[in-house]
Amino acid sequence: MLQPNNIRVAIAQSAPVYHDKQGSLAKALDLIQQASDQGAQLIVFGETWFPGYPVWLDVCPAAGLWNHEPTKRVFAELRQNSISINGPEAKALAQAAGDLGIGIVIGINERVDEGPGRGTLYNSLLTFSPDGRLANHHPKLVPTFTERMVWGNGDGRGLSSATIANTRVGGLICWEHWMPLARTAMHQAGEQVHIAVWPTANEMAQLASRHYAFEGRCFVLAVGLMMPTTDMPAELPHTVTDTWVERGGSAIIAPDASYIVEPIYDREELIIANLDLTMIDRESMALDVTGHYSRPDIFTFSHRTLKSD
């Protein structure tokens, strides 16, 4: 039995059914059930898990050519299998969270079906609370490098945390972890558990995730994607020869930057761990960047939350 100040968490280091929203939904629901059966109170999935990360932007040289028909076909397939926050897939995830009493954090390719933003995709992180609500919706603030060909800029609506199992849970996406003011906003949101999603949680991502844990005095679930090279779009030539083009690397990091679970690469796995939240209290004695180390008499910070219509 969990102690009072503990939370049991799960990382779904698993490949989606690439560019197949129905197949991905079925796989996600199965993984959520497995995590619940093992007593997890929170399960997290990687960056744009639904229905997969557009890694072809980085490894297929022709992807960046103007008006390139193969790239447009691949983008169209991605868009057709992306999901809306008001669509049936999001509703199914919310229902699973409510039925099982589990929190779910999942990265999606988000499409907007009407109004401002329609036609553009967004890299978003959704948080469903155990009562079946969409408790947080964070679109990535700035797509990184080649990602700008696929995703639009997000807004500040999701720079906050939600309560799951009496624990404050928030998250950022990939290179947002190098945006100092985005980190500050999240630290002020009172995170106890932070979700850091990546395509692959490689050495650089591990460094950023461990720094975040130390700076924020919180637990970090660094979540990496899995994608077999066989899922690469046939229309776009590439030279990848490894079995996995996205290799996972998921890890769980304590508030002192030590590993609770070391990075796991090159295999799909449901990673389960218990987190002792009292460690946050112990580590906050030396450093608290929103408390005694914030020096509000010298520095001021404001977070403007922008809402879409």
Side-chain angles (χ1 to χ4, degrees):
M1 180 179 293
L2 283 176
Q3 298 300 315
N5 294 315
N6 276 241
I7 182 172
R8 188 167 174 84
V9 299
I11 295 176
Q13 179 164 289
S14 181
V17 182
Y18 200 68
H19 283 197
D20 180 343
K21 62 182 177 182
Q22 293 304 317
S24 293
L25 176 61
K27 188 167 185 177
L29 294 175
D30 179 63
L31 288 164
I32 293 164
Q33 183 67 62
Q34 289 182 45
S36 177
D37 290 345
Q38 296 183 54
Q41 298 162 291
L42 169 68
I43 181 172
V44 300
F45 295 77
E47 182 177 2
T48 61
W49 192 90
F50 222 121
Y53 184 83
V55 69
W56 39 270
L57 289 168
D58 297 322
V59 300
C60 299
L65 296 175
W66 172 253
N67 208 32
H68 188 52
E69 281 299 327
T71 305
K72 291 199 290 185
R73 288 196 297 270
V74 173
F75 175 79
E77 184 179 88
L78 172 62
R79 190 170 185 273
Q80 289 158 10
N81 285 279
S82 297
I83 66 173
S84 164
I85 62 168
N86 298 312
E89 296 81 15
K91 290 178 181 176
L93 292 169
Q95 181 173 343
D99 289 347
L100 297 173
I102 190 172
I104 302 168
V105 179
I106 188 166
I108 68 166
N109 286 277
E110 180 189 352
R111 61 179 293 160
V112 178
D113 290 332
E114 61 182 17
R118 185 180 181 277
T120 297
L121 297 181
Y122 298 88
N123 178 342
S124 296
L125 196 62
L126 305 185
T127 301
F128 297 95
S129 58
D131 60 0
R133 292 182 302 107
L134 177 59
N136 202 10
H137 169 208
H138 170 54
K140 188 176 183 181
L141 297 173
V142 182
T144 303
F145 196 50
T146 52
E147 293 177 351
R148 296 171 200 175
M149 292 193 293
V150 171
W151 297 316
N153 282 350
D155 56 31
R157 79 182 82 179
L159 293 177
S160 60
S161 59
T163 299
I164 295 173
N166 297 314
T167 304
R168 297 301 295 176
V169 176
L172 290 175
I173 302 167
C174 199
W175 277 44
E176 289 181 325
H177 291 86
W178 283 283
M179 297 177 71
L181 298 185
R183 296 201 310 269
T184 298
M186 294 307 299
H187 297 331
Q188 290 191 349
E191 291 176 302
Q192 295 167 290
V193 174
H194 175 80
I195 315 304
V197 296
W198 309 90
T200 292
N202 58 19
E203 183 177 349
M204 185 168 57
Q206 296 295 334
L207 179 64
S209 298
R210 294 183 71 191
H211 172 268
Y212 193 99
F214 188 90
E215 178 182 80
R217 285 328 202 217
C218 61
F219 291 90
V220 171
L221 276 54
V223 190
L225 280 174
M226 299 297 295
M227 179 179 171
T229 303
T230 52
D231 279 351
M232 291 291 294
E235 300 95 323
L236 298 174
H238 64 86
T239 58
V240 180
T241 57
D242 293 335
T243 301
W244 298 98
V245 65
E246 298 293 2
R247 301 180 49 228
S250 299
I252 299 178
I253 304 161
D256 63 356
S258 65
Y259 281 114
I260 295 172
V261 176
E262 297 271 350
I264 297 170
Y265 291 99
D266 299 327
R267 69 175 187 265
E268 296 188 83
E269 184 171 334
L270 188 62
I271 303 164
I272 307 280
N274 294 334
L275 307 182
D276 177 7
L277 301 178
T278 63
M279 189 175 185
I280 295 172
D281 299 310
R282 297 195 297 273
E283 295 305 319
S284 294
M285 181 176 182
L287 176 66
D288 181 353
V289 294
T290 63
H292 65 270
Y293 252 81
S294 65
R295 289 303 303 271
D297 55 321
I298 299 174
F299 305 108
T300 58
F301 173 77
S302 63
H303 165 208
R304 182 183 177 192
T305 301
L306 301 177
K307 297 285 188 181
S308 295
D309 294 332

